């Protein structure tokens, strides 16, 4: 089973890419949904968060009540140390949920799965996928789209962009880049081209169900990522932001 990580940025066009992939029948693991799941009262991560931050992060400040997202956000976004603690609890919980779903898909005989991860790089999840797709558009295009879509001022729109890792940095981690710099049809066409290139070889798909070979494949993919290292630490200069209409 080939596992592909998909990421992008605000107003980059990732939602359109996800919708296009769904038309192909490729399973998608939505990490936004998992992020909400792991802070539910029934999940082990919920108790870990409460043990550290206290019931102040809960609605009505009562154990068993849902997370007060506004209050929790105020705490972690205003304090880097607290944010680091929260991420150390939430990111592993999301990773475990991803692995559970991957195992179920593998058992079903799925040959290709896409993990939709906004924080694919920040959460180090790029190290456990076979391929990385980044949906890219220039910052000025992001700014224009956010203002048009959300009715925000240039200052507010820019603040949202700056709150995320720059898309040009994410490109350095990509095996495939979908450049969203043209119209909607071009974006869909580029997505289909990339997905066609990612189709696993049928022979390898069959071999992946032989236990010893499957274990070797997993070990190889993880080792390959680690040996490759962090591109932002090994590349001396960032890539040029100019790009063709699409590439794979």
């Amino acid at each position: 089973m080939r596992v592909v990580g998909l990421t992008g940025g605000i107003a980059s066009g990732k939602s359109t890419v996800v919708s296009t992939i769904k038309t192909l029948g490729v399973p998608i693991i939505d990490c936004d949904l998992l992020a909400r799941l792991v802070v539910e009262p029934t999940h082990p991560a919920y108790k870990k968060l409460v043990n550290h931050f206290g019931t102040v992060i809960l609605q009505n400040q009562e154990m068993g009540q849902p997370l007060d997202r506004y209050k929790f956000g105020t705490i972690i976004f205003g304090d880097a140390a607290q944010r680091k603690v929260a991420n150390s609890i939430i990111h592993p919980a999301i990773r475990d949920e991803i692995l559970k779903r991957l195992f179920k898909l593998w058992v079903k005989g799925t040959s290709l799965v896409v993990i939709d991860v906004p924080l694919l790089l920040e959460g180090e999840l790029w190290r456990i996928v076979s391929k990385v797709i980044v949906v890219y558009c220039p910052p000025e295009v992001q700014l224009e789209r956010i203002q048009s879509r959300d009715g925000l001022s240039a200052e507010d729109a820019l603040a949202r962009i700056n709150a995320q890792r720059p898309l040009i940095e994410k490109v350095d981690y990509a095996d495939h880049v979908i450049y969203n710099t043209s119209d909607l049809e071009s974006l869909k066409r580029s997505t289909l081209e990339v997905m066609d290139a990612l189709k696993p070889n049928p022979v390898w798909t069959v071999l992946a169900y032989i236990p010893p070979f499957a274990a070797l494949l997993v070990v190889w993919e993880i080792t390959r990522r680690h040996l490759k290292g962090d591109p932002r630490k090994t590349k001396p200069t960032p890539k040029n932001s100019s790009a063709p209409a699409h590439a794979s």
Side-chain angles (χ1 to χ4, degrees), residues 24 94 109 118-119 147 155 161 167 174 180 189 226:
L24 300 174
I94 293 174
L119 299 179
Q147 286 185 268
E155 184 180 1
I161 293 173
L167 275 175
N180 182 16
R189 186 167 56 252
H226 279 277

Side-chain angles (χ1 to χ4, degrees), residues 52-53 75-76 78-88:
H52 177 79
F53 294 98
I75 293 172
I76 64 172
D79 187 326
Q82 294 286 49
R83 185 165 63 252
K84 186 175 181 179
V85 172
N87 288 340
S88 72

Side-chain angles (χ1 to χ4, degrees), residues 22-72:
K22 284 180 178 178
T23 66
L24 300 174
V26 176
I28 295 179
I29 297 175
D30 186 338
C31 287
D32 276 339
L33 293 179
L34 296 185
R36 291 194 282 273
L37 170 68
V38 300
V39 295
E40 289 294 321
T42 54
H43 198 281
Y46 172 91
K47 186 176 181 180
K48 292 180 181 179
L49 289 171
V50 175
N51 285 343
H52 177 79
F53 294 98
T55 55
V56 68
I57 65 171
L58 305 178
Q59 294 180 19
N60 301 321
Q61 299 188 24
E62 293 180 9
M63 192 66 179
Q65 289 292 308
L67 193 71
D68 186 324
R69 295 182 179 277
Y70 175 78
K71 194 169 292 183
F72 183 56

Side-chain angles (χ1 to χ4, degrees), residues 39-148:
V39 295
E40 289 294 321
T42 54
H43 198 281
Y46 172 91
K47 186 176 181 180
K48 292 180 181 179
L49 289 171
V50 175
N51 285 343
H52 177 79
F53 294 98
T55 55
V56 68
I57 65 171
L58 305 178
Q59 294 180 19
N60 301 321
Q61 299 188 24
E62 293 180 9
M63 192 66 179
Q65 289 292 308
L67 193 71
D68 186 324
R69 295 182 179 277
Y70 175 78
K71 194 169 292 183
F72 183 56
T74 300
I75 293 172
I76 64 172
F77 289 116
D79 187 326
Q82 294 286 49
R83 185 165 63 252
K84 186 175 181 179
V85 172
N87 288 340
S88 72
I89 295 171
I90 294 173
H91 287 171
I94 293 174
R95 183 193 61 225
D96 290 346
E97 292 296 333
I98 290 172
L99 293 175
K100 288 178 187 177
R101 283 154 180 75
L102 288 176
F103 179 74
K104 290 178 181 178
L105 289 168
W106 178 75
V107 170
K108 289 180 180 179
T110 305
S111 60
L112 177 64
V113 59
V114 172
I115 308 176
D116 178 5
V117 200
L119 299 179
L120 178 69
L121 311 180
E122 292 83 347
E124 293 291 300
L125 289 171
W126 64 276
R127 295 183 182 276
I128 66 169
V129 299
S130 301
K131 300 291 181 179
V132 172
I133 301 174
V134 172
V135 185
Y136 176 84
C137 71
E140 61 271 18
V141 177
Q142 277 185 290
L143 183 64
E144 182 182 342
R145 287 175 180 166
I146 296 170
Q147 286 185 268
S148 175

Side-chain angles (χ1 to χ4, degrees), residues 153-219:
S153 66
E155 184 180 1
D156 288 340
L158 192 59
R160 294 196 179 193
I161 293 173
N162 292 337
Q164 299 182 340
R165 191 170 192 164
L167 275 175
I168 193 63
E169 290 188 8
K170 295 186 177 185
V171 168
D172 286 328
Y173 292 81
D175 296 288
H176 296 271
V177 182
I178 299 175
Y179 291 100
N180 182 16
T181 54
S182 185
D183 55 41
L184 193 61
E185 287 307 311
S186 294
L187 177 60
K188 291 179 179 179
R189 186 167 56 252
S190 297
T191 301
L192 294 174
E193 288 174 2
V194 168
M195 294 308 297
D196 187 60
L198 287 170
K199 286 180 181 177
N201 184 305
V203 175
W204 284 85
T205 300
V206 172
L207 288 174
Y209 284 89
I210 301 174
F213 195 80
L216 285 173
L217 279 177
V218 172
V219 171

